[in-house]
Amino acid sequence: MSATHYEDYKAAHRVHCPGTTNTGGRTTSGPVAPSLVDYFPQAAGDGLKVVWEHAVNSRQRLAMALRGPGMVIEGDVSMGASGRYPVPVMAHPPIAAAFGGGGGNGDLTLDEWLHELALCGMAKGVKLDFKSTEVVEPACRILARYIDKLQGPVVLNADVLPGPDCAAVPPVDAWTFLTLCRTRFPRSIISLGWTTQEGSCLKMGYTREMVESMGALVREYNLGQPVSFPVWLPLARRSLGDLQRLLAQVPRSSLTVFARRGEPWAAALPDLAALRSSFSPSLVYYDLPHDLLQAFLPLC
C-alpha cells in the first residue's frame, strides 16, 4: 500500500468517540455500534480470534452452537412454508418444498431461532444472512420483536451486488435491505457482499468496477454503522489492492473472509496468509470451516 493510501486507510479506521458517528466527514450525535472486535474483548483486537458458528440452520446445530465456544452464530434466512403461509425460515437455498421435512435445513423458523437466542442469556453475536429480497421485510419485522432481548452484536448480511460470473444469481435489492436495516436497526453491523456461485471465474477476482460500485453504494446510503464486506477467499486473494482501497474509502469497515467446505487447503492456506499480511488484524474476520481454521492458526 502506498504512503498516501496508508494515511487514507488510517484516517478511515480511526476510532471515534462513543456517542458520535462519522458520516463522510461530518459528525452527528447518537449511539454508535461497536465493531465485532470491540464487542469481544477476548479477541484482543484481532478478527482472527472472533470465533464463528456457520450455517446454524437446524435445531440440532443451534443447540450445539449455544453450548459451544462460538462468539457469533450465523444463520441463513429464506422464505419457506409453515402452515398456510410462507414465513422466514432458517435454511440455505434450495429449500425442500415441505418445511420441516428433515435434513436439518429448514426445521426452524426465524421466530423460533431468535426466541432460543433471546432465552439463552449469553452474549452471543447473531448474524442473519438474507437470501432473497422477499424475505427481508418479514424477517425485519420478526427481528424487531427480539432486538432488545439479544445480548450480543447483531450483523445483518445480504449479497446486494453481482459478483464474478454470477448472472444467474440475483442479488438482494439494496434499497430494500439498506433502508430497513439502517432505519430499524441503527446499532447493527451491516454486511454487504457480492453474489457467488460454484464455478465462478476464480482467475477474475473482484474487479475494480465491482469494488468501486460497492463503495459508491455505501456512500449513497450514508451508512453510519460499521460495515463488513464478506469476500470469498479465492476471489479476495486476487483483489487485495482494490479491497485495500475499499476499506480506505469506507470508515469503520472490515472484511469477512469465507471459504466453502471441501476447498483444498493447498490453495487456501497461501491465500489466507496473503490476506493476513495485507491488512491490520482488526480489519479481517475469518468465517472458515473449522478444519481449515485449525490448519491456519499455527501459521499465524
Side-chain angles (χ1 to χ4, degrees):
M1 186 184 299
S2 70
T4 301
H5 278 144
Y6 182 65
E7 291 304 318
D8 292 342
Y9 187 76
K10 289 195 298 181
H13 295 88
R14 186 177 296 119
V15 176
H16 303 294
C17 298
T20 64
T21 303
N22 182 291
T23 54
R26 62 185 179 86
T27 301
T28 60
S29 61
V32 177
S35 66
L36 285 177
V37 291
D38 294 328
Y39 269 110
F40 299 112
Q42 62 268 45
D46 189 345
L48 184 60
K49 296 179 181 179
V50 176
V51 182
W52 298 77
E53 295 288 350
H54 187 74
V56 180
N57 295 332
S58 68
R59 296 178 189 276
Q60 180 182 19
R61 283 190 55 80
L62 180 57
M64 293 174 60
L66 290 175
R67 295 193 302 266
M71 301 176 188
V72 183
I73 299 177
E74 185 266 351
D76 303 301
V77 188
S78 303
M79 289 301 287
S82 178
R84 295 178 58 186
Y85 303 104
V87 296
V89 300
M90 306 309 296
H92 194 287
I95 309 170
F99 173 74
N105 188 38
D107 66 352
L108 268 175
T109 65
L110 173 62
D111 197 314
E112 293 167 333
W113 196 85
L114 289 171
H115 179 73
E116 292 298 320
L117 281 159
L119 282 180
C120 79
M122 293 181 284
K124 298 275 190 180
V126 171
K127 181 176 180 179
L128 296 177
D129 187 356
F130 298 93
K131 308 309 291 188
S132 68
T133 301
E134 67 173 340
V135 81
V136 173
E137 200 279 333
C140 285
R141 286 203 309 268
I142 295 169
L143 177 60
R145 300 203 302 265
Y146 290 98
I147 191 71
D148 292 332
K149 302 174 185 177
L150 299 173
Q151 301 296 312
V154 174
V155 183
L156 303 176
N157 176 83
D159 293 338
V160 294
L161 291 177
D165 199 24
C166 285
V169 182
V172 172
D173 180 69
W175 184 89
T176 301
F177 176 71
L178 289 173
T179 300
L180 287 171
C181 293
R182 184 183 63 172
T183 57
R184 293 193 184 184
F185 311 109
R187 287 188 58 80
S188 65
I189 297 168
I190 303 297
S191 177
L192 300 174
W194 297 266
T195 57
T196 59
Q197 66 180 15
E198 296 288 347
S200 295
C201 182
L202 299 184
K203 294 182 180 180
M204 182 177 180
Y206 298 105
T207 66
R208 177 162 297 185
E209 180 181 3
M210 292 174 187
V211 173
E212 289 178 348
S213 295
M214 186 65 80
L217 186 66
V218 174
R219 291 190 294 273
E220 177 185 353
Y221 285 87
N222 198 23
L223 297 177
Q225 295 129 297
V227 179
S228 195
F229 303 106
V231 290
W232 187 21
L233 177 58
L235 299 181
R237 173 65 178 88
R238 291 159 176 79
S239 315
L240 293 178
D242 288 319
L243 292 174
Q244 286 174 335
R245 280 186 285 273
L246 178 62
L247 296 196
Q249 294 168 8
V250 179
R252 306 178 69 227
S253 61
S254 63
L255 301 177
T256 302
V257 60
F258 65 91
R260 296 188 172 120
R261 294 186 183 278
E263 291 178 346
W265 287 3
L269 291 177
D271 289 350
L272 286 169
L275 272 169
R276 182 73 172 169
S277 64
S278 299
F279 297 90
S280 167
S282 65
L283 299 181
V284 182
Y285 302 99
Y286 297 81
D287 184 4
L288 303 172
H290 179 75
D291 52 356
L292 175 57
L293 183 61
Q294 292 306 307
F296 178 56
L297 285 174
L299 305 179
C300 297

